Structure formats: C-alpha cells, structure tokens
Amino acid sequence: MVSNPVHGLPFLPGTSFKDSTKTAFHRSQTLGYRNGYAIVRRPTVGIGGDRLQFNQLSQAELDELASKAPVLTYGQPKQAPPADFIPAHVAFDKKVLKFDAYFQEDVPMSTEEQYRIRQVNIYYYLEDDSMSVIEPVVENSGIPQGKLIKRQRLAKNDRGDHYHWKDLNRGINITIYGKTFHVVDCDQFTQVFLESQGIELNPPEKMALDPYTELRKQPLRKYVTPSDFDQLKQFLTFDKQVLRFYAIWDDTDSMYGECRTYIIHYYLMDDTVEIREVHERNDGRDPFPLLMNRQRMPKVLVENAKNFPQCVLEISDQEVLEWYTAKDFIVGKSLTMLGRTFFIYDCDPFTRRYYKEKFGITNLPRIDVSKQELPPVKQESPIPEDKDRKFVFSYFLATDMISIFEPPVRNSGIIGGKYLGRTKVVKPYSTVDNPIYYGPSDFFIGAVIEVFGHRFIILDTDEYVLKYMESNAAQYSPEALASIQNHVRKREAPAPESESKQTEKDPGVQELEALIDTIQKQLKDHSCKDNIHEAFQIYDKEASGYVDRDMFFKICESLNVPVDDSLVKELIRMCSHGEGKINYYNFVRAFSN
C-alpha cells in the first residue's frame, strides 16, 4: 500500500513512497451477524490499520447521492417509476390507537354516592377506521363490565360522518351513543403516530377517580383494646366460640317420668347458656327446638332474691351472687338449672381442647348413660261388667291342660257355660320359640293367671286341691303354701254372729263401723270404687288381708283414692297394724256399695 506520511505534499506520482518497515497488511472484517441476521459493516480503518484517506459518509448521504440526478452532465433524467400500491389493511395491519378515557354515570337510588366514575379504553383500528370501547373488569364491582361498545365505525354527527383518527386528541370530549367520554391520555405508539401525521397533541390529564371506590380504599380504623380483661375484649376474642355438652335429665323417679337427652351450649363471648332438646323420630313430642333460650344462668342468688319474680322480670347482678361459668360445666358432673338436674356425659372435640388449654383438664372421657330397656308393660283395660263374674278353673295333671267354666248367672246379660276348652296356656312374656306353659305350681290362692290377655285371680279351691298341695309341698313356693294356710285359718274363723256380739262389746269396732258408714255416704259417687278390692288382692300374695304401707299408698294413688281427706286419714290410722302394715279388708269396705 502506498502512503504519504509527509504532510502538505500532494498525492501524486513522485511525491509518495512505500513504508518499508510495515509488516501488518490484514484487512478489517466487513461481514457480521446481529440477532441471527447477516449484516455488512463499512471498514473504519485501512489495510494494516492505516487511516483511511477519504471522508466517511452516512447512509442517508449515500442514499441522497444515489438518487441525485446528473442534470448538468447527462441532461434531463427520465421519470422514476411509481411506487407499488399498498392497501390500508396491509399497511396498517395490527396498528391500533389506544386512548384512556372515562364517563360519569348518575346513581339516583343510593344514599352513599350521587354519581359514579367509570374508566374505559377507546381503541381506534387504523386498518378500517373502526372503534371499540372496553371497560376494564373490576372484581366484585357488581356492575356489568367488559366490552361496552363492540368494534364498529361510529357516527360522529347526524349527517352520517364517522369518527376519524384526526378527530381524536387528548383533553377532548367525544359522544358515542348518548354517552360523553372524556379523553385524558394515550399510549406511546398513539402519540408517535399522531405527531408523525402533523397533529399537535394536547397535554395529558390525570384520570378521574371514583369517589366511592376511593372511600372504600381508606384504611380501617384501628382500635387499641386495654390490656385488662373487659366485656368488649371477651366479645372480640371469643366471638363464635361455643362449648357443646351432651347431657341427660333423668326423671324416671316421678310418675310417667323418663330419661331425656339435651344439648347444652355455653357461649364464651358473653357467658350465656342455651339448652336444646334432642328429638328422635316418632318420640311423640312436639318438635320444639329449645328448652331454654340463650341467657345467663344464676348459680347462687342473694338471700332476699329467692322470691324475685323471674317469670316477668329479668334478674341482674343485684339479685345474683354467682353466675354459671365455663368451669362449672365438667363432663361427669351434675348441675341444676331451671329446677332440673342435668348430668353431663360428653362434649365435642373443641370443648376438650378448650378445657385442656384453659384449665389444664385432659381427662374428659365419654360416660355411658345408656340403660337396658325394660320389657314393655301391657296396657290393661278392665271392663266394669267383668268385676263380678265368677269362673271355675280345672287343671288336668295328665296333660297340663286348662279348662275354664263360667256358671250362668240369671239376668246378668252374659251367657255362661264353657269359657275355654281344654288347652295348654302359655305364660305371659314367654317367647314363641321357647314357650313356657302354666303348671300345677302356678295355681294357689291369690295367684293371678293370665289366659290370652285376660287376668284371673284365684280366690278359693276345693278340698282335693288342698290335699294335693299338702302332699306335694315340694312343688310349691313358700308363698303358695302360706296362702293355703291362711285360707284354712279363715275357714276356721268364728261365725258372723260371734263377730257381731264382739262388735257390740268393743267400742273401737263400733267407732270403725260408724266411720266406714260416714265415708260410704260421703264418697258414694267417687270413681275409685271400681276394682279397689281386686287391686289390693294382686299385691297380697299370702291373702292375709294386709299390705305394706308404701304399697298401700301407691295403690291408692293409682286408683285416685282421696287419701288427703280427713275422714280417710282417720280410717287409715284405725286400719294400721303396727308400723309397716295396713288392713285393707276394713278399708275397702268404705268404698263398696
């Protein structure tokens, strides 16, 4: 390469020479790759790194020189061919102008807001001059959002003109289908495109905000609760936390009482108690859900508050010394509320965790309160016409069969004769698979024989039965033998004439007879007269004429005998024999016809 190191000399033959010391003659790289594409680079230095002797021209200057027509040298140039036609849907494909806008909507039916600001995006599609309006979706706004106006050419006025991109700018209002949208800003591509087309854009504005939405965004007030335990802190700490206990109320000691199950709820937020009934299918009770409504339960009342009218007035702290708290409800213990004693036998898992964390009680096992069901009691329906009917039982030792004969009674309305033919009679409560039949040992004076739902009481026997029982005493119980002895003793008792003479001599007996006569006149229409003698005979197995005092009052209560009457009380006193026995023979005479 020829170089001219001497400055000021022209680059002409004879004024240049070669550098004999130069050893590097490599060329600069003019080919390369950028983003995977091959590109051509102009060299910036000459061979061997020498400086280039000509000016570096830009690509724009080179393009200008290439298109410059040499008018002076070659004369008038020929007309350049027209550029190729490019349709709009190709030139402006996927080119969309985006504007940020909002419109104001009235809210007439709300007390919290008078109007609503709704933000939208207006899209202008350059390929076909169509427009669309889309509202960004806000979660849980309760307003139908999304595409408000689908893509179409929008009319600008009544003359049929349509909106053009030249009509759009920042800070202007445009009306579309009766709604006025205020344009506040646009994106970068829209700004560059409009400025390249010679449109002067207005300065951007801030987007208007919805006042109600901004109000909802305000931080919630923070309250500082005192460290001391108070009712508000208890409410906030234990809200929706309920202790659940399973309890029973055993009322089987009273007449017609039963054992019923309940659910006790203890609300930790305000120390109130609620008792709910547990109903079972076909239990025969009205489906009332609550036995006791939710309220605070007093545990100990003040001395002068025992007569407080709780049925009409609500008790307060002035009448209560101590209220029931969570520590009073423990599995395995009883507590009295509303006059009923509830036994807690179980609780739910949350209650167990609470007692473990709060009181350190870990052993709360479930208690089995199930009871073995008693055999069903047959409902007896005595018929008044049957109380005076007499029957003769015959027991056949060879076949263990029984026959019953009813002697005819004139004008009784009942046809006598054979009541039951020879047959084996099954004892009550025996199963079908293993039937148990009546035997000779079941027949004695005072015994109750049930034959196909009808009960018979044996009152007397013939001489052969007495002799058979004496000769086969091992087959009979002591009660059966005692009934025979008492029956024989009654047969050997003095005649009625001697009894009447003794009655005339004994003033106590006369007083008893007068009292019985007075009671008969006073209670002649009382309903307890029916079957009173038979009722006492059922429990007098020995036919001695005496029953226990407790049993005597239970029978009187079941037959509605007015034992609280002063005359009846005196009769009971006169019929009492010792401390635990009562002679019911004389007592029932006062209630017979």
Side-chain angles (χ1 to χ4, degrees):
M1 180 180 179
V2 179
S3 61
N4 190 9
V6 181
H7 298 283
L9 295 178
F11 190 66
L12 295 174
T15 61
S16 61
F17 57 93
K18 296 181 180 180
D19 188 2
S20 59
T21 63
K22 186 175 182 179
T23 59
F25 300 97
H26 60 273
R27 294 178 177 270
S28 300
Q29 180 63 263
T30 59
L31 298 177
Y33 286 89
R34 178 180 297 175
N35 298 328
Y37 294 94
I39 59 174
V40 179
R41 295 182 298 183
R42 293 180 61 83
T44 57
V45 295
I47 298 175
D50 294 338
R51 185 174 63 88
L52 294 177
Q53 301 299 326
F54 52 87
N55 297 329
Q56 297 289 333
L57 300 178
S58 63
Q59 185 65 35
E61 294 174 341
L62 294 176
D63 294 339
E64 182 180 358
L65 293 175
S67 60
K68 190 173 183 180
V71 179
L72 299 178
T73 306
Y74 303 100
Q76 186 68 28
K78 296 181 180 180
Q79 185 68 27
D84 296 336
F85 173 75
I86 301 177
H89 67 274
V90 176
F92 299 110
D93 183 28
K94 298 181 181 179
K95 293 184 178 180
V96 183
L97 305 182
K98 178 186 176 184
F99 297 90
D100 299 331
Y102 68 90
F103 69 96
Q104 180 174 316
E105 182 182 40
D106 295 335
V107 183
M109 303 298 293
S110 176
T111 58
E112 298 181 355
E113 54 180 341
Q114 287 75 32
Y115 64 92
R116 185 180 297 125
I117 299 297
R118 301 178 63 175
Q119 302 176 1
V120 296
N121 295 325
I122 300 177
Y123 295 93
Y124 186 95
Y125 301 88
L126 294 173
E127 58 179 335
D128 57 357
D129 296 328
S130 60
M131 299 176 63
S132 66
V133 180
I134 298 178
E135 181 180 11
V137 178
V138 179
E139 186 178 2
N140 296 328
S141 66
I143 304 174
Q145 295 175 322
K147 186 180 293 184
L148 301 183
I149 301 176
K150 65 181 181 179
R151 181 176 175 180
Q152 57 185 292
R153 298 189 67 186
L154 300 176
K156 181 172 60 174
N157 49 39
D158 298 337
R159 297 189 299 271
D161 298 334
H162 296 86
Y163 277 108
H164 194 263
W165 53 266
K166 297 179 181 179
D167 301 323
L168 304 178
N169 203 333
R170 293 187 294 211
I172 65 172
N173 294 332
I174 59 174
T175 302
I176 303 175
Y177 293 136
K179 289 185 178 180
T180 302
F181 298 88
H182 184 75
V183 182
V184 296
D185 203 355
C186 62
D187 61 356
Q188 185 65 25
F189 172 78
T190 305
Q191 180 178 353
V192 173
F193 177 80
L194 294 178
E195 290 178 348
S196 66
Q197 300 299 324
I199 297 178
E200 184 179 354
L201 293 177
N202 298 327
E205 300 178 0
K206 291 185 178 180
M207 175 64 73
L209 301 176
D210 182 44
Y212 180 73
T213 304
E214 296 302 314
L215 179 64
R216 293 289 300 270
K217 292 181 180 179
Q218 293 182 2
L220 298 176
R221 294 184 179 180
K222 296 183 179 179
Y223 299 93
V224 179
T225 305
S227 59
D228 295 335
F229 191 85
D230 56 4
Q231 292 184 354
L232 179 59
K233 182 179 180 180
Q234 180 183 4
F235 176 83
L236 298 177
T237 305
F238 300 106
D239 186 23
K240 299 180 181 180
Q241 296 186 15
V242 183
L243 305 180
R244 172 176 288 187
F245 302 92
Y246 301 95
I248 60 171
W249 173 43
D250 192 355
D251 191 36
T252 54
D253 294 336
S254 61
M255 183 175 291
Y256 309 115
E258 58 182 340
C259 185
R260 303 172 60 182
T261 57
Y262 296 89
I263 295 178
I264 302 176
H265 288 157
Y266 186 89
Y267 294 84
L268 295 173
M269 59 181 294
D270 54 0
D271 296 325
T272 54
V273 182
E274 174 188 77
I275 303 178
R276 305 183 68 90
E277 296 189 15
V278 178
H279 293 279
E280 297 180 356
R281 188 176 183 182
N282 298 328
D283 59 357
R285 297 186 177 274
D286 294 332
F288 289 102
L290 292 178
L291 175 68
M292 185 189 74
N293 199 6
R294 180 178 173 181
Q295 57 183 293
R296 295 187 69 188
M297 284 303 301
K299 183 179 180 180
V300 181
L301 297 175
V302 297
E303 187 65 26
N304 57 354
K306 294 184 178 180
N307 298 326
F308 186 80
Q310 301 183 20
C311 59
V312 294
L313 295 178
E314 184 178 357
I315 59 176
S316 60
D317 294 336
Q318 299 179 357
E319 293 82 19
V320 180
L321 288 177
E322 183 180 359
W323 299 89
Y324 275 109
T325 59
K327 63 182 179 181
D328 298 319
F329 295 82
I330 303 296
V331 176
K333 293 186 178 180
S334 301
L335 66 162
T336 302
M337 293 183 293
L338 299 179
R340 304 186 183 189
T341 301
F342 296 91
F343 177 76
I344 301 176
Y345 65 90
D346 198 6
C347 60
D348 62 353
F350 170 77
T351 305
R352 286 188 169 89
R353 291 195 302 268
Y354 177 81
Y355 274 82
K356 181 179 180 181
E357 298 172 358
K358 183 70 175 179
F359 304 109
I361 301 176
T362 58
N363 188 18
L364 292 176
R366 174 186 173 90
I367 300 176
D368 186 13
V369 294
S370 60
K371 294 184 178 180
Q372 186 177 4
E373 295 185 0
L374 298 176
V377 179
K378 279 191 174 183
Q379 297 294 332
E380 305 294 341
S381 300
I383 301 175
E385 290 78 8
D386 293 342
K387 67 178 182 178
D388 295 328
R389 298 175 66 180
K390 304 296 182 181
F391 298 89
V392 178
F393 272 69
S394 298
Y395 186 88
F396 300 90
L397 296 173
T399 59
D400 293 334
M401 292 186 178
I402 300 174
S403 67
I404 304 176
F405 177 81
E406 183 177 9
V409 179
R410 189 176 182 180
N411 296 329
S412 65
I414 300 175
I415 301 175
K418 182 185 291 186
Y419 185 82
L420 178 68
R422 289 190 181 188
T423 183
K424 289 186 177 181
V425 180
V426 181
K427 290 185 178 181
Y429 309 123
S430 63
T431 62
V432 178
D433 299 334
N434 187 21
I436 302 175
Y437 300 98
Y438 280 106
S441 60
D442 298 320
F443 291 85
F444 54 88
I445 296 176
V448 179
I449 307 299
E450 183 172 339
V451 180
F452 302 123
H454 298 273
R455 294 187 306 163
F456 299 88
I457 302 175
I458 299 179
L459 303 178
D460 200 356
T461 61
D462 58 4
E463 294 296 335
Y464 176 76
V465 175
L466 297 178
K467 294 179 180 180
Y468 180 82
M469 294 181 66
E470 290 178 356
S471 60
N472 299 275
Q475 299 182 7
Y476 294 90
S477 62
E479 293 81 4
L481 297 175
S483 67
I484 296 298
Q485 296 174 0
N486 294 331
H487 183 70
V488 174
R489 191 181 301 113
K490 287 176 62 178
R491 286 185 176 182
E492 297 175 354
E497 290 80 10
S498 62
E499 291 181 359
S500 61
K501 292 180 181 179
Q502 185 179 3
T503 302
E504 294 177 358
K505 295 180 181 180
D506 191 354
V509 176
Q510 295 180 359
E511 183 181 356
L512 176 62
E513 295 295 331
L515 180 60
I516 291 175
D517 185 61
T518 304
I519 294 176
Q520 286 180 345
K521 295 179 181 179
Q522 182 176 346
L523 304 176
K524 61 180 180 179
D525 297 329
H526 201 273
S527 60
C528 66
K529 297 165 59 177
D530 300 336
N531 302 326
I532 185 172
H533 190 272
E534 289 79 356
F536 282 104
Q537 282 185 339
I538 294 174
Y539 296 95
D540 185 14
K541 303 296 183 181
E542 300 178 359
S544 61
Y546 294 92
V547 295
D548 294 338
R549 188 177 186 86
D550 295 338
M551 182 59 66
F552 175 85
F553 282 103
K554 287 185 178 180
I555 297 173
C556 292
E557 183 180 0
S558 63
L559 297 175
N560 297 324
V561 177
V563 294
D564 295 333
D565 188 81
S566 59
L567 296 178
V568 178
K569 287 183 178 180
E570 181 62 22
L571 178 61
I572 295 174
R573 185 190 66 80
M574 298 182 67
C575 294
S576 299
H577 181 74
E579 295 183 355
K581 299 287 185 179
I582 296 178
N583 185 353
Y584 67 87
Y585 281 164
N586 293 330
F587 182 79
V588 298
R589 288 170 53 200
F591 299 93
S592 61
N593 294 331

